[in-house]
């Protein structure tokens, strides 16, 4: 399925690559001669834009070649009708490998948030030779539904309105879609000690809406988030691993990050006190230098 021209804005610095029978939209920061970092976003519509340009530039200024991209069903990458997608987490992992191939990278440092962290785990197990290091942020060893486990708590229950899930009747209407996207971000930040920046999140939601081929298609990501990940494979992960998790994460509770740090041999845990399921500016001074130190290992 080809990536068609969005009816909204297009960032001319982005690049469409063709791989695995689909189109993937990517953008880079920094010099290709520097150690590469591939950023993998969580499930949702923001995709590459979730990784703020200024955050990417902080990493690039630390002599890193930073790559961010839109996964399937988000942004300017290939989208499917809601409910019609058949891809799996291994498909997401293969897409990440295709991006490395596009830039002739034998391996890269992987930084994954939430669902992106699940993709990183799979890559580290199946393709260890392509993974220089792992940074797993606000993610889990099992995915979003840990009912089968006794030791990992489920997210606190929220009603539809609280979780921002009163769906737009018309996804093409920015007056419906943009407040919905802001509501999702606000819900993910619930309980955080960081003040929710309404203005910045509204501006981000508007950019996400304007560059998305089909904003509604991100809901297909649930097929990956709500399928149990392979926790039993974690002992196979040999890549140097840094786990970053906020104590106020109301989407994937902090205990999931603790479990990851214990079940991946040699992993270290960076606890962000009072942070939610988010990457707000208030924690960049902690997280960006930590990633740069961790990715300096090889």
């Amino acid at each position: 399925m080809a990536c068609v021209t969005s009816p909204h804005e297009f960032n001319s610095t982005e690049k469409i690559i063709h791989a695995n029978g689909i189109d993937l939209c990517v953008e880079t920061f920094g010099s290709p001669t520097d150690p590469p970092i591939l950023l993998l976003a969580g499930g949702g519509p923001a995709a590459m834009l979730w990784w703020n340009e200024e955050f990417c530039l902080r990493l690039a200024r630390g002599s890193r070649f930073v790559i961010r991209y839109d996964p399937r069903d988000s942004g300017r990458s290939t989208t499917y009708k809601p409910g019609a997608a058949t891809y799996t987490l291994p498909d997401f992992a293969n897409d990440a490998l295709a991006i490395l191939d596009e830039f002739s990278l034998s391996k890269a440092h992987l930084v994954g948030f939430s669902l992106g962290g699940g993709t990183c785990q799979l890559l580290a197990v199946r393709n260890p030779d392509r993974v220089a290091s792992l940074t797993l942020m606000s993610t889990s060893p099992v995915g979003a539904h840990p009912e089968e486990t006794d030791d990992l708590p489920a997210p606190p229950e929220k009603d539809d309105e609280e979780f921002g899930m009163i769906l737009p009747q018309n996804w093409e209407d920015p007056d419906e879609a943009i407040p919905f996207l802001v509501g999702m971000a606000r819900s993910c930040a619930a309980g955080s000690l960081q003040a929710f920046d309404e203005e910045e999140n509204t501006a981000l939601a508007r950019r996400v809406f304007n560059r998305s081929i089909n904003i509604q298609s991100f809901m297909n990501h649930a097929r990956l988030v709500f399928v149990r990940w392979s926790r039993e494979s974690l002992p196979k992960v040999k890549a140097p691993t840094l786990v970053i998790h906020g104590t106020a994460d109301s989407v994937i509770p902090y205990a999931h990050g603790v479990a990851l740090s214990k079940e991946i041999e040699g992993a270290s845990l960076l606890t962000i006190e009072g942070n939610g399921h988010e990457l707000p500016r208030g924690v960049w001074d902690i997280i960006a230098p930590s990633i740069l130190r961790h990715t300096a290992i090889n």
Side-chain angles (χ1 to χ4, degrees):
M1 181 182 299
C3 182
V4 300
T5 301
S6 170
H8 309 299
E9 70 179 28
F10 175 64
N11 185 341
S12 61
T13 66
E14 297 171 3
K15 174 183 179 181
I16 300 292
I17 69 170
H18 311 282
N20 301 328
I22 64 166
D23 292 345
L24 294 167
C25 187
V26 302
E27 185 174 24
T28 64
F29 302 82
S31 171
T33 62
D34 287 333
I37 293 178
L38 180 64
L39 301 175
L40 295 89
M48 72 159 65
L49 294 187
W50 189 89
W51 301 101
N52 188 287
E53 287 91 340
E54 293 180 39
F55 182 82
C56 294
L57 288 169
R58 285 199 183 196
L59 298 179
R61 291 179 187 124
S63 298
R64 300 292 185 275
F65 179 53
V66 180
I67 308 169
R68 65 177 186 175
Y69 71 101
D70 295 326
R72 304 181 189 213
D73 271 327
S74 64
R76 294 188 52 80
S77 291
T78 290
T79 63
Y80 308 81
K81 291 182 179 180
T86 59
Y87 52 71
T88 62
L89 195 65
D91 291 319
F92 264 40
N94 289 336
D95 292 345
L97 291 177
I99 292 172
L100 299 189
D101 292 341
E102 174 69 18
F103 291 98
S104 300
L105 299 172
S106 60
K107 63 172 58 176
H109 300 280
L110 306 183
V111 178
F113 183 91
S114 197
L115 173 60
T119 308
C120 288
Q121 293 170 49
L122 184 60
L123 283 164
V125 170
R126 294 191 172 189
N127 305 91
D129 58 319
R130 307 299 299 274
V131 180
S133 74
L134 291 178
T135 301
L136 305 176
M137 301 173 59
S138 301
T139 191
S140 168
V142 295
H145 269 208
E147 287 89 346
E148 298 178 16
T149 69
D150 295 325
D151 62 320
L152 295 177
E157 292 187 5
K158 300 182 180 183
D159 60 34
D160 286 347
E161 185 172 4
E162 184 181 7
F163 198 65
M165 292 301 289
I166 302 301
L167 299 177
Q169 294 297 309
N170 180 7
W171 286 90
E172 294 299 315
D173 183 353
D175 292 334
E176 290 191 46
I178 290 173
F180 169 78
L181 299 180
V182 175
M184 286 185 63
R186 186 185 300 108
S187 178
C188 288
S192 174
L193 294 179
Q194 301 291 325
F196 184 75
D197 191 325
E198 194 83 20
E199 182 177 351
E200 183 167 24
N201 278 279
T202 299
L204 172 60
R206 184 171 293 108
R207 290 185 65 201
V208 169
F209 176 82
N210 285 341
R211 70 182 295 277
S212 294
I213 294 171
N214 184 352
I215 190 71
Q216 188 179 5
S217 292
F218 83 89
M219 297 178 71
N220 287 329
H221 291 167
R223 65 178 294 104
L224 308 183
V225 175
F226 293 102
V227 172
R228 190 178 185 277
W229 302 343
S230 181
R231 185 180 190 181
E232 295 76 14
S233 297
L234 289 179
K236 298 179 182 178
V237 175
K238 302 305 178 186
T241 301
L242 170 65
V243 177
I244 303 175
H245 216 110
T247 59
D249 194 323
S250 63
V251 177
I252 299 179
Y254 174 67
H256 291 241
V258 174
L260 271 177
S261 68
K262 291 180 178 179
E263 294 173 34
I264 297 177
E265 183 179 357
S268 57
L269 174 64
L270 173 60
T271 298
I272 308 296
E273 292 294 338
N275 201 56
H277 199 71
E278 56 180 345
L279 184 56
R281 290 177 181 272
V283 300
W284 290 1
D285 285 344
I286 300 173
I287 291 179
S290 297
I291 293 174
L292 290 174
R293 286 193 296 270
H294 184 62
T295 57
I297 53 179
N298 54 33

